[in-house]
Amino acid sequence: MFRGSEALAAGALTRAALRGPRYRRLLPDVYTPAALEPDLALRSRAAYVWAGNRGVLTGYSAAEMLSAACAPAGAPAELALPGTHPKAPPGVLIRQVTLARDERRTYQGVELTTPVRTAYDLARRCSLAEAVVAVDALAGRFGFAPKEVLGLARRYRGARRTLRLPEVVALAEPLAASAMESRLRLVLVLGGLPRPAVQYRVPDRRAHVVASVDLAYPEQLIAIEYEGADHFAGHRVVRDVHRYTRLVDLGWRVYRYTADDVYQRPARMVAEITRALRHPR
């Protein structure tokens, strides 16, 4: 990633080459090789370069850089900048926040908020479900207890939207394996169903573990799985078929849901699991 003006000044590129098919302009004067996918991590780095390699990446940008992906599709790059600054270009969100020295770190050449501070910011800013998703992802990735978010709330008494943080922390589950698994769990819990076990290890009749399922109601022998795109790859399909067969053979009912179900048919999911819980085997 580089500034086009600097490459031109150094004679490393011509203006024609910069505008050609080999490079992609992500932000004003910020370019990358066209082969790179402009995902949130790349766009966040571009925002940092656009700001003159200053400021601090926050929120979803910090989470993405920390390999705790939890952003909804299309989330903008987020950057905290002190004082006056140029108007942010489309796709970049400038935050005005107070950060203590122990709430920021240097990672892979950029400044960003620490995992706990990132969780605190997202837990206050997002909807309840997305706040829990963020805390799940960050706490699971870095091994901190979700209640550490409440420590920052005590540091910043009176900050906006901190009153709901205990609810976010109570709903958090660091064992969640992905953001979409967290969203699936929250559809059920916020829909009024009992809290399911997470990453439950299913034993056979000799107490040997035969499968680990995303969510489970063990007493009712109900397994609930989130099926992302990776589940439909050739080798994964075969492995899943064997796993589901073992579960059914042990008397489990397996409910499999996709992103379309989570986002477009949550009421149907809640109704299906409600019926299953009311009529156990």
Side-chain angles (χ1 to χ4, degrees), residues 141-177:
R141 173 76 174 82
F142 291 95
F144 63 83
K147 65 181 180 182
E148 290 188 37
V149 170
L150 301 179
L152 280 183
R154 289 190 290 271
R155 175 180 285 187
Y156 295 103
R157 294 186 186 278
R160 295 180 58 191
R161 304 191 71 185
T162 56
L163 293 179
R164 72 164 188 177
L165 291 183
E167 182 181 10
V168 173
V169 168
L171 288 168
E173 180 48 78
L175 289 178

PDB file of all heavy atoms in Angstrom, residues 141-177:
ATOM      1  N   ARG A 141     -11.072 -14.503  21.086  1.00  0.00           N
ATOM      2  CA  ARG A 141      -9.779 -14.446  20.390  1.00  0.00           C
ATOM      3  C   ARG A 141      -8.636 -14.171  21.360  1.00  0.00           C
ATOM      4  O   ARG A 141      -7.542 -14.721  21.212  1.00  0.00           O
ATOM      5  CB  ARG A 141      -9.840 -13.343  19.324  1.00  0.00           C
ATOM      6  CG  ARG A 141      -8.526 -13.035  18.629  1.00  0.00           C
ATOM      7  CD  ARG A 141      -8.181 -14.088  17.607  1.00  0.00           C
ATOM      8  NE  ARG A 141      -7.008 -13.705  16.852  1.00  0.00           N
ATOM      9  CZ  ARG A 141      -5.743 -13.874  17.272  1.00  0.00           C
ATOM     10  NH1 ARG A 141      -5.498 -14.431  18.437  1.00  0.00           N
ATOM     11  NH2 ARG A 141      -4.739 -13.499  16.496  1.00  0.00           N
ATOM     12  N   PHE A 142      -8.882 -13.354  22.383  1.00  0.00           N
ATOM     13  CA  PHE A 142      -7.781 -12.928  23.250  1.00  0.00           C
ATOM     14  C   PHE A 142      -7.872 -13.456  24.681  1.00  0.00           C
ATOM     15  O   PHE A 142      -7.019 -13.171  25.505  1.00  0.00           O
ATOM     16  CB  PHE A 142      -7.685 -11.399  23.251  1.00  0.00           C
ATOM     17  CG  PHE A 142      -7.226 -10.860  21.936  1.00  0.00           C
ATOM     18  CD1 PHE A 142      -8.145 -10.439  20.985  1.00  0.00           C
ATOM     19  CD2 PHE A 142      -5.886 -10.818  21.611  1.00  0.00           C
ATOM     20  CE1 PHE A 142      -7.734  -9.978  19.746  1.00  0.00           C
ATOM     21  CE2 PHE A 142      -5.454 -10.353  20.380  1.00  0.00           C
ATOM     22  CZ  PHE A 142      -6.380  -9.931  19.443  1.00  0.00           C
ATOM     23  N   GLY A 143      -8.905 -14.210  24.976  1.00  0.00           N
ATOM     24  CA  GLY A 143      -8.962 -14.896  26.252  1.00  0.00           C
ATOM     25  C   GLY A 143      -9.241 -14.037  27.462  1.00  0.00           C
ATOM     26  O   GLY A 143      -8.932 -14.456  28.585  1.00  0.00           O
ATOM     27  N   PHE A 144      -9.815 -12.858  27.268  1.00  0.00           N
ATOM     28  CA  PHE A 144     -10.158 -12.067  28.445  1.00  0.00           C
ATOM     29  C   PHE A 144     -11.612 -12.329  28.825  1.00  0.00           C
ATOM     30  O   PHE A 144     -12.433 -12.737  28.003  1.00  0.00           O
ATOM     31  CB  PHE A 144      -9.909 -10.574  28.222  1.00  0.00           C
ATOM     32  CG  PHE A 144     -10.744  -9.924  27.147  1.00  0.00           C
ATOM     33  CD1 PHE A 144     -12.034  -9.479  27.400  1.00  0.00           C
ATOM     34  CD2 PHE A 144     -10.224  -9.725  25.873  1.00  0.00           C
ATOM     35  CE1 PHE A 144     -12.799  -8.870  26.419  1.00  0.00           C
ATOM     36  CE2 PHE A 144     -10.977  -9.119  24.880  1.00  0.00           C
ATOM     37  CZ  PHE A 144     -12.277  -8.691  25.154  1.00  0.00           C
ATOM     38  N   ALA A 145     -11.922 -12.134  30.096  1.00  0.00           N
ATOM     39  CA  ALA A 145     -13.297 -12.320  30.565  1.00  0.00           C
ATOM     40  C   ALA A 145     -14.145 -11.148  30.091  1.00  0.00           C
ATOM     41  O   ALA A 145     -13.716  -9.985  30.192  1.00  0.00           O
ATOM     42  CB  ALA A 145     -13.326 -12.409  32.086  1.00  0.00           C
ATOM     43  N   PRO A 146     -15.337 -11.390  29.564  1.00  0.00           N
ATOM     44  CA  PRO A 146     -16.182 -10.282  29.100  1.00  0.00           C
ATOM     45  C   PRO A 146     -16.393  -9.201  30.145  1.00  0.00           C
ATOM     46  O   PRO A 146     -16.535  -8.020  29.805  1.00  0.00           O
ATOM     47  CB  PRO A 146     -17.495 -10.982  28.731  1.00  0.00           C
ATOM     48  CG  PRO A 146     -17.076 -12.349  28.313  1.00  0.00           C
ATOM     49  CD  PRO A 146     -15.948 -12.708  29.243  1.00  0.00           C
ATOM     50  N   LYS A 147     -16.381  -9.561  31.430  1.00  0.00           N
ATOM     51  CA  LYS A 147     -16.614  -8.561  32.476  1.00  0.00           C
ATOM     52  C   LYS A 147     -15.512  -7.517  32.549  1.00  0.00           C
ATOM     53  O   LYS A 147     -15.692  -6.470  33.181  1.00  0.00           O
ATOM     54  CB  LYS A 147     -16.778  -9.232  33.831  1.00  0.00           C
ATOM     55  CG  LYS A 147     -15.537  -9.939  34.349  1.00  0.00           C
ATOM     56  CD  LYS A 147     -15.807 -10.602  35.684  1.00  0.00           C
ATOM     57  CE  LYS A 147     -14.567 -11.307  36.222  1.00  0.00           C
ATOM     58  NZ  LYS A 147     -14.834 -11.991  37.504  1.00  0.00           N
ATOM     59  N   GLU A 148     -14.373  -7.756  31.870  1.00  0.00           N
ATOM     60  CA  GLU A 148     -13.330  -6.722  31.844  1.00  0.00           C
ATOM     61  C   GLU A 148     -13.820  -5.461  31.142  1.00  0.00           C
ATOM     62  O   GLU A 148     -13.280  -4.369  31.372  1.00  0.00           O
ATOM     63  CB  GLU A 148     -12.065  -7.258  31.176  1.00  0.00           C
ATOM     64  CG  GLU A 148     -11.328  -8.307  32.002  1.00  0.00           C
ATOM     65  CD  GLU A 148      -9.995  -8.683  31.409  1.00  0.00           C
ATOM     66  OE1 GLU A 148      -9.314  -7.771  30.866  1.00  0.00           O
ATOM     67  OE2 GLU A 148      -9.626  -9.863  31.475  1.00  0.00           O
ATOM     68  N   VAL A 149     -14.805  -5.612  30.275  1.00  0.00           N
ATOM     69  CA  VAL A 149     -15.398  -4.437  29.631  1.00  0.00           C
ATOM     70  C   VAL A 149     -15.990  -3.499  30.681  1.00  0.00           C
ATOM     71  O   VAL A 149     -15.952  -2.266  30.531  1.00  0.00           O
ATOM     72  CB  VAL A 149     -16.472  -4.881  28.621  1.00  0.00           C
ATOM     73  CG1 VAL A 149     -17.272  -3.700  28.111  1.00  0.00           C
ATOM     74  CG2 VAL A 149     -15.827  -5.644  27.463  1.00  0.00           C
ATOM     75  N   LEU A 150     -16.516  -4.064  31.753  1.00  0.00           N
ATOM     76  CA  LEU A 150     -17.118  -3.242  32.807  1.00  0.00           C
ATOM     77  C   LEU A 150     -16.065  -2.420  33.540  1.00  0.00           C
ATOM     78  O   LEU A 150     -16.380  -1.371  34.094  1.00  0.00           O
ATOM     79  CB  LEU A 150     -17.881  -4.126  33.794  1.00  0.00           C
ATOM     80  CG  LEU A 150     -19.007  -4.973  33.188  1.00  0.00           C
ATOM     81  CD1 LEU A 150     -19.671  -5.819  34.261  1.00  0.00           C
ATOM     82  CD2 LEU A 150     -20.017  -4.100  32.477  1.00  0.00           C
ATOM     83  N   GLY A 151     -14.820  -2.892  33.554  1.00  0.00           N
ATOM     84  CA  GLY A 151     -13.750  -2.107  34.165  1.00  0.00           C
ATOM     85  C   GLY A 151     -13.534  -0.795  33.444  1.00  0.00           C
ATOM     86  O   GLY A 151     -13.323   0.244  34.081  1.00  0.00           O
ATOM     87  N   LEU A 152     -13.606  -0.824  32.111  1.00  0.00           N
ATOM     88  CA  LEU A 152     -13.483   0.430  31.367  1.00  0.00           C
ATOM     89  C   LEU A 152     -14.697   1.311  31.588  1.00  0.00           C
ATOM     90  O   LEU A 152     -14.584   2.544  31.583  1.00  0.00           O
ATOM     91  CB  LEU A 152     -13.304   0.143  29.875  1.00  0.00           C
ATOM     92  CG  LEU A 152     -11.898  -0.251  29.428  1.00  0.00           C
ATOM     93  CD1 LEU A 152     -11.855  -0.438  27.928  1.00  0.00           C
ATOM     94  CD2 LEU A 152     -10.878   0.774  29.855  1.00  0.00           C
ATOM     95  N   ALA A 153     -15.853   0.707  31.782  1.00  0.00           N
ATOM     96  CA  ALA A 153     -17.038   1.515  32.074  1.00  0.00           C
ATOM     97  C   ALA A 153     -16.862   2.275  33.380  1.00  0.00           C
ATOM     98  O   ALA A 153     -17.295   3.424  33.511  1.00  0.00           O
ATOM     99  CB  ALA A 153     -18.273   0.620  32.138  1.00  0.00           C
ATOM    100  N   ARG A 154     -16.211   1.657  34.354  1.00  0.00           N
ATOM    101  CA  ARG A 154     -15.945   2.364  35.619  1.00  0.00           C
ATOM    102  C   ARG A 154     -14.915   3.465  35.415  1.00  0.00           C
ATOM    103  O   ARG A 154     -14.955   4.499  36.090  1.00  0.00           O
ATOM    104  CB  ARG A 154     -15.469   1.360  36.677  1.00  0.00           C
ATOM    105  CG  ARG A 154     -16.576   0.419  37.158  1.00  0.00           C
ATOM    106  CD  ARG A 154     -16.135  -0.389  38.349  1.00  0.00           C
ATOM    107  NE  ARG A 154     -15.120  -1.383  37.997  1.00  0.00           N
ATOM    108  CZ  ARG A 154     -15.398  -2.613  37.587  1.00  0.00           C
ATOM    109  NH1 ARG A 154     -16.653  -3.007  37.466  1.00  0.00           N
ATOM    110  NH2 ARG A 154     -14.436  -3.458  37.300  1.00  0.00           N
ATOM    111  N   ARG A 155     -13.990   3.266  34.489  1.00  0.00           N
ATOM    112  CA  ARG A 155     -12.992   4.305  34.207  1.00  0.00           C
ATOM    113  C   ARG A 155     -13.647   5.533  33.580  1.00  0.00           C
ATOM    114  O   ARG A 155     -13.221   6.663  33.832  1.00  0.00           O
ATOM    115  CB  ARG A 155     -11.917   3.738  33.270  1.00  0.00           C
ATOM    116  CG  ARG A 155     -10.891   4.763  32.820  1.00  0.00           C
ATOM    117  CD  ARG A 155      -9.850   4.144  31.900  1.00  0.00           C
ATOM    118  NE  ARG A 155      -8.895   3.318  32.622  1.00  0.00           N
ATOM    119  CZ  ARG A 155      -7.810   2.769  32.063  1.00  0.00           C
ATOM    120  NH1 ARG A 155      -7.551   2.978  30.776  1.00  0.00           N
ATOM    121  NH2 ARG A 155      -6.997   2.026  32.780  1.00  0.00           N
ATOM    122  N   TYR A 156     -14.665   5.299  32.755  1.00  0.00           N
ATOM    123  CA  TYR A 156     -15.326   6.391  32.056  1.00  0.00           C
ATOM    124  C   TYR A 156     -16.768   6.544  32.547  1.00  0.00           C
ATOM    125  O   TYR A 156     -17.724   6.431  31.775  1.00  0.00           O
ATOM    126  CB  TYR A 156     -15.300   6.138  30.540  1.00  0.00           C
ATOM    127  CG  TYR A 156     -13.909   6.147  29.963  1.00  0.00           C
ATOM    128  CD1 TYR A 156     -13.264   4.955  29.630  1.00  0.00           C
ATOM    129  CD2 TYR A 156     -13.227   7.343  29.782  1.00  0.00           C
ATOM    130  CE1 TYR A 156     -11.976   4.966  29.113  1.00  0.00           C
ATOM    131  CE2 TYR A 156     -11.939   7.370  29.253  1.00  0.00           C
ATOM    132  CZ  TYR A 156     -11.316   6.170  28.922  1.00  0.00           C
ATOM    133  OH  TYR A 156     -10.039   6.184  28.413  1.00  0.00           O
ATOM    134  N   ARG A 157     -16.912   6.760  33.818  1.00  0.00           N
ATOM    135  CA  ARG A 157     -18.249   6.926  34.397  1.00  0.00           C
ATOM    136  C   ARG A 157     -18.978   8.089  33.721  1.00  0.00           C
ATOM    137  O   ARG A 157     -18.401   9.153  33.493  1.00  0.00           O
ATOM    138  CB  ARG A 157     -18.146   7.191  35.904  1.00  0.00           C
ATOM    139  CG  ARG A 157     -17.607   5.999  36.694  1.00  0.00           C
ATOM    140  CD  ARG A 157     -17.657   6.261  38.185  1.00  0.00           C
ATOM    141  NE  ARG A 157     -17.009   5.195  38.938  1.00  0.00           N
ATOM    142  CZ  ARG A 157     -17.580   4.047  39.259  1.00  0.00           C
ATOM    143  NH1 ARG A 157     -18.836   3.830  38.898  1.00  0.00           N
ATOM    144  NH2 ARG A 157     -16.929   3.118  39.938  1.00  0.00           N
ATOM    145  N   GLY A 158     -20.223   7.843  33.395  1.00  0.00           N
ATOM    146  CA  GLY A 158     -21.010   8.878  32.745  1.00  0.00           C
ATOM    147  C   GLY A 158     -20.935   8.863  31.240  1.00  0.00           C
ATOM    148  O   GLY A 158     -21.645   9.639  30.578  1.00  0.00           O
ATOM    149  N   ALA A 159     -20.095   7.983  30.664  1.00  0.00           N
ATOM    150  CA  ALA A 159     -20.029   7.893  29.204  1.00  0.00           C
ATOM    151  C   ALA A 159     -21.358   7.381  28.652  1.00  0.00           C
ATOM    152  O   ALA A 159     -22.091   6.653  29.329  1.00  0.00           O
ATOM    153  CB  ALA A 159     -18.893   6.965  28.784  1.00  0.00           C
ATOM    154  N   ARG A 160     -21.652   7.741  27.439  1.00  0.00           N
ATOM    155  CA  ARG A 160     -22.940   7.363  26.837  1.00  0.00           C
ATOM    156  C   ARG A 160     -23.042   5.863  26.656  1.00  0.00           C
ATOM    157  O   ARG A 160     -22.075   5.182  26.333  1.00  0.00           O
ATOM    158  CB  ARG A 160     -23.102   8.057  25.489  1.00  0.00           C
ATOM    159  CG  ARG A 160     -23.190   9.578  25.575  1.00  0.00           C
ATOM    160  CD  ARG A 160     -23.342  10.179  24.198  1.00  0.00           C
ATOM    161  NE  ARG A 160     -24.529   9.671  23.504  1.00  0.00           N
ATOM    162  CZ  ARG A 160     -24.779   9.871  22.222  1.00  0.00           C
ATOM    163  NH1 ARG A 160     -23.921  10.558  21.476  1.00  0.00           N
ATOM    164  NH2 ARG A 160     -25.881   9.384  21.672  1.00  0.00           N
ATOM    165  N   ARG A 161     -24.252   5.340  26.848  1.00  0.00           N
ATOM    166  CA  ARG A 161     -24.648   3.970  26.550  1.00  0.00           C
ATOM    167  C   ARG A 161     -23.819   2.927  27.314  1.00  0.00           C
ATOM    168  O   ARG A 161     -23.534   1.845  26.797  1.00  0.00           O
ATOM    169  CB  ARG A 161     -24.570   3.699  25.049  1.00  0.00           C
ATOM    170  CG  ARG A 161     -25.406   4.669  24.215  1.00  0.00           C
ATOM    171  CD  ARG A 161     -25.522   4.226  22.789  1.00  0.00           C
ATOM    172  NE  ARG A 161     -26.384   3.049  22.663  1.00  0.00           N
ATOM    173  CZ  ARG A 161     -26.591   2.389  21.517  1.00  0.00           C
ATOM    174  NH1 ARG A 161     -26.006   2.799  20.401  1.00  0.00           N
ATOM    175  NH2 ARG A 161     -27.391   1.343  21.483  1.00  0.00           N
ATOM    176  N   THR A 162     -23.445   3.261  28.535  1.00  0.00           N
ATOM    177  CA  THR A 162     -22.751   2.274  29.361  1.00  0.00           C
ATOM    178  C   THR A 162     -23.701   1.501  30.266  1.00  0.00           C
ATOM    179  O   THR A 162     -23.333   0.453  30.796  1.00  0.00           O
ATOM    180  CB  THR A 162     -21.671   2.949  30.229  1.00  0.00           C
ATOM    181  OG1 THR A 162     -22.285   3.970  31.018  1.00  0.00           O
ATOM    182  CG2 THR A 162     -20.575   3.551  29.367  1.00  0.00           C
ATOM    183  N   LEU A 163     -24.925   1.989  30.447  1.00  0.00           N
ATOM    184  CA  LEU A 163     -25.850   1.334  31.369  1.00  0.00           C
ATOM    185  C   LEU A 163     -26.231  -0.063  30.908  1.00  0.00           C
ATOM    186  O   LEU A 163     -26.571  -0.921  31.725  1.00  0.00           O
ATOM    187  CB  LEU A 163     -27.111   2.189  31.550  1.00  0.00           C
ATOM    188  CG  LEU A 163     -26.915   3.526  32.275  1.00  0.00           C
ATOM    189  CD1 LEU A 163     -28.240   4.269  32.365  1.00  0.00           C
ATOM    190  CD2 LEU A 163     -26.333   3.290  33.667  1.00  0.00           C
ATOM    191  N   ARG A 164     -26.182  -0.321  29.613  1.00  0.00           N
ATOM    192  CA  ARG A 164     -26.574  -1.640  29.123  1.00  0.00           C
ATOM    193  C   ARG A 164     -25.398  -2.619  29.069  1.00  0.00           C
ATOM    194  O   ARG A 164     -25.577  -3.787  28.720  1.00  0.00           O
ATOM    195  CB  ARG A 164     -27.183  -1.525  27.741  1.00  0.00           C
ATOM    196  CG  ARG A 164     -26.167  -1.207  26.666  1.00  0.00           C
ATOM    197  CD  ARG A 164     -26.727  -1.488  25.310  1.00  0.00           C
ATOM    198  NE  ARG A 164     -25.686  -1.360  24.303  1.00  0.00           N
ATOM    199  CZ  ARG A 164     -25.896  -1.602  23.028  1.00  0.00           C
ATOM    200  NH1 ARG A 164     -27.089  -1.971  22.620  1.00  0.00           N
ATOM    201  NH2 ARG A 164     -24.925  -1.476  22.151  1.00  0.00           N
ATOM    202  N   LEU A 165     -24.191  -2.182  29.411  1.00  0.00           N
ATOM    203  CA  LEU A 165     -23.038  -3.067  29.311  1.00  0.00           C
ATOM    204  C   LEU A 165     -23.173  -4.331  30.161  1.00  0.00           C
ATOM    205  O   LEU A 165     -22.747  -5.408  29.719  1.00  0.00           O
ATOM    206  CB  LEU A 165     -21.750  -2.318  29.661  1.00  0.00           C
ATOM    207  CG  LEU A 165     -21.313  -1.251  28.646  1.00  0.00           C
ATOM    208  CD1 LEU A 165     -19.994  -0.621  29.069  1.00  0.00           C
ATOM    209  CD2 LEU A 165     -21.179  -1.858  27.256  1.00  0.00           C
ATOM    210  N   PRO A 166     -23.743  -4.267  31.384  1.00  0.00           N
ATOM    211  CA  PRO A 166     -23.919  -5.524  32.126  1.00  0.00           C
ATOM    212  C   PRO A 166     -24.765  -6.548  31.377  1.00  0.00           C
ATOM    213  O   PRO A 166     -24.500  -7.754  31.445  1.00  0.00           O
ATOM    214  CB  PRO A 166     -24.601  -5.065  33.422  1.00  0.00           C
ATOM    215  CG  PRO A 166     -24.132  -3.660  33.607  1.00  0.00           C
ATOM    216  CD  PRO A 166     -24.062  -3.093  32.218  1.00  0.00           C
ATOM    217  N   GLU A 167     -25.780  -6.089  30.637  1.00  0.00           N
ATOM    218  CA  GLU A 167     -26.592  -7.016  29.860  1.00  0.00           C
ATOM    219  C   GLU A 167     -25.783  -7.633  28.731  1.00  0.00           C
ATOM    220  O   GLU A 167     -25.880  -8.840  28.464  1.00  0.00           O
ATOM    221  CB  GLU A 167     -27.821  -6.303  29.296  1.00  0.00           C
ATOM    222  CG  GLU A 167     -28.755  -7.222  28.517  1.00  0.00           C
ATOM    223  CD  GLU A 167     -29.956  -6.505  27.949  1.00  0.00           C
ATOM    224  OE1 GLU A 167     -29.986  -5.253  27.982  1.00  0.00           O
ATOM    225  OE2 GLU A 167     -30.873  -7.199  27.464  1.00  0.00           O
ATOM    226  N   VAL A 168     -24.967  -6.815  28.061  1.00  0.00           N
ATOM    227  CA  VAL A 168     -24.115  -7.330  26.990  1.00  0.00           C
ATOM    228  C   VAL A 168     -23.160  -8.386  27.536  1.00  0.00           C
ATOM    229  O   VAL A 168     -23.007  -9.478  26.963  1.00  0.00           O
ATOM    230  CB  VAL A 168     -23.323  -6.178  26.334  1.00  0.00           C
ATOM    231  CG1 VAL A 168     -22.311  -6.728  25.330  1.00  0.00           C
ATOM    232  CG2 VAL A 168     -24.266  -5.196  25.645  1.00  0.00           C
ATOM    233  N   VAL A 169     -22.528  -8.067  28.658  1.00  0.00           N
ATOM    234  CA  VAL A 169     -21.568  -8.993  29.263  1.00  0.00           C
ATOM    235  C   VAL A 169     -22.261 -10.288  29.684  1.00  0.00           C
ATOM    236  O   VAL A 169     -21.730 -11.388  29.494  1.00  0.00           O
ATOM    237  CB  VAL A 169     -20.878  -8.316  30.460  1.00  0.00           C
ATOM    238  CG1 VAL A 169     -20.101  -9.322  31.294  1.00  0.00           C
ATOM    239  CG2 VAL A 169     -19.952  -7.203  29.966  1.00  0.00           C
ATOM    240  N   ALA A 170     -23.466 -10.182  30.235  1.00  0.00           N
ATOM    241  CA  ALA A 170     -24.191 -11.379  30.680  1.00  0.00           C
ATOM    242  C   ALA A 170     -24.548 -12.292  29.506  1.00  0.00           C
ATOM    243  O   ALA A 170     -24.586 -13.517  29.655  1.00  0.00           O
ATOM    244  CB  ALA A 170     -25.456 -10.967  31.426  1.00  0.00           C
ATOM    245  N   LEU A 171     -24.781 -11.718  28.337  1.00  0.00           N
ATOM    246  CA  LEU A 171     -25.142 -12.508  27.161  1.00  0.00           C
ATOM    247  C   LEU A 171     -23.929 -13.037  26.400  1.00  0.00           C
ATOM    248  O   LEU A 171     -24.078 -13.901  25.528  1.00  0.00           O
ATOM    249  CB  LEU A 171     -25.998 -11.673  26.206  1.00  0.00           C
ATOM    250  CG  LEU A 171     -27.429 -11.368  26.649  1.00  0.00           C
ATOM    251  CD1 LEU A 171     -28.048 -10.311  25.747  1.00  0.00           C
ATOM    252  CD2 LEU A 171     -28.275 -12.638  26.631  1.00  0.00           C
ATOM    253  N   ALA A 172     -22.754 -12.528  26.700  1.00  0.00           N
ATOM    254  CA  ALA A 172     -21.555 -12.874  25.934  1.00  0.00           C
ATOM    255  C   ALA A 172     -21.160 -14.329  26.166  1.00  0.00           C
ATOM    256  O   ALA A 172     -21.390 -14.899  27.229  1.00  0.00           O
ATOM    257  CB  ALA A 172     -20.408 -11.945  26.299  1.00  0.00           C
ATOM    258  N   GLU A 173     -20.516 -14.901  25.151  1.00  0.00           N
ATOM    259  CA  GLU A 173     -20.055 -16.282  25.219  1.00  0.00           C
ATOM    260  C   GLU A 173     -18.762 -16.416  24.419  1.00  0.00           C
ATOM    261  O   GLU A 173     -18.784 -16.581  23.192  1.00  0.00           O
ATOM    262  CB  GLU A 173     -21.126 -17.220  24.649  1.00  0.00           C
ATOM    263  CG  GLU A 173     -20.740 -18.677  24.671  1.00  0.00           C
ATOM    264  CD  GLU A 173     -20.193 -19.115  26.008  1.00  0.00           C
ATOM    265  OE1 GLU A 173     -20.999 -19.324  26.935  1.00  0.00           O
ATOM    266  OE2 GLU A 173     -18.957 -19.222  26.137  1.00  0.00           O
ATOM    267  N   PRO A 174     -17.607 -16.326  25.108  1.00  0.00           N
ATOM    268  CA  PRO A 174     -16.329 -16.370  24.386  1.00  0.00           C
ATOM    269  C   PRO A 174     -16.049 -17.681  23.656  1.00  0.00           C
ATOM    270  O   PRO A 174     -15.168 -17.722  22.803  1.00  0.00           O
ATOM    271  CB  PRO A 174     -15.299 -16.139  25.508  1.00  0.00           C
ATOM    272  CG  PRO A 174     -16.049 -15.449  26.594  1.00  0.00           C
ATOM    273  CD  PRO A 174     -17.428 -16.009  26.534  1.00  0.00           C
ATOM    274  N   LEU A 175     -16.774 -18.755  23.979  1.00  0.00           N
ATOM    275  CA  LEU A 175     -16.549 -20.023  23.286  1.00  0.00           C
ATOM    276  C   LEU A 175     -17.118 -20.033  21.869  1.00  0.00           C
ATOM    277  O   LEU A 175     -16.835 -20.959  21.099  1.00  0.00           O
ATOM    278  CB  LEU A 175     -17.179 -21.176  24.080  1.00  0.00           C
ATOM    279  CG  LEU A 175     -16.499 -21.553  25.395  1.00  0.00           C
ATOM    280  CD1 LEU A 175     -17.264 -22.669  26.080  1.00  0.00           C
ATOM    281  CD2 LEU A 175     -15.045 -21.959  25.169  1.00  0.00           C
ATOM    282  N   ALA A 176     -17.907 -19.037  21.521  1.00  0.00           N
ATOM    283  CA  ALA A 176     -18.486 -18.987  20.173  1.00  0.00           C
ATOM    284  C   ALA A 176     -17.380 -19.042  19.125  1.00  0.00           C
ATOM    285  O   ALA A 176     -16.364 -18.353  19.240  1.00  0.00           O
ATOM    286  CB  ALA A 176     -19.324 -17.731  20.002  1.00  0.00           C
ATOM    287  N   ALA A 177     -17.592 -19.856  18.096  1.00  0.00           N
ATOM    288  CA  ALA A 177     -16.547 -20.075  17.103  1.00  0.00           C
ATOM    289  C   ALA A 177     -16.538 -19.052  15.977  1.00  0.00           C
ATOM    290  O   ALA A 177     -15.568 -18.969  15.231  1.00  0.00           O
ATOM    291  CB  ALA A 177     -16.685 -21.481  16.513  1.00  0.00           C
TER     292      ALA A 177
END
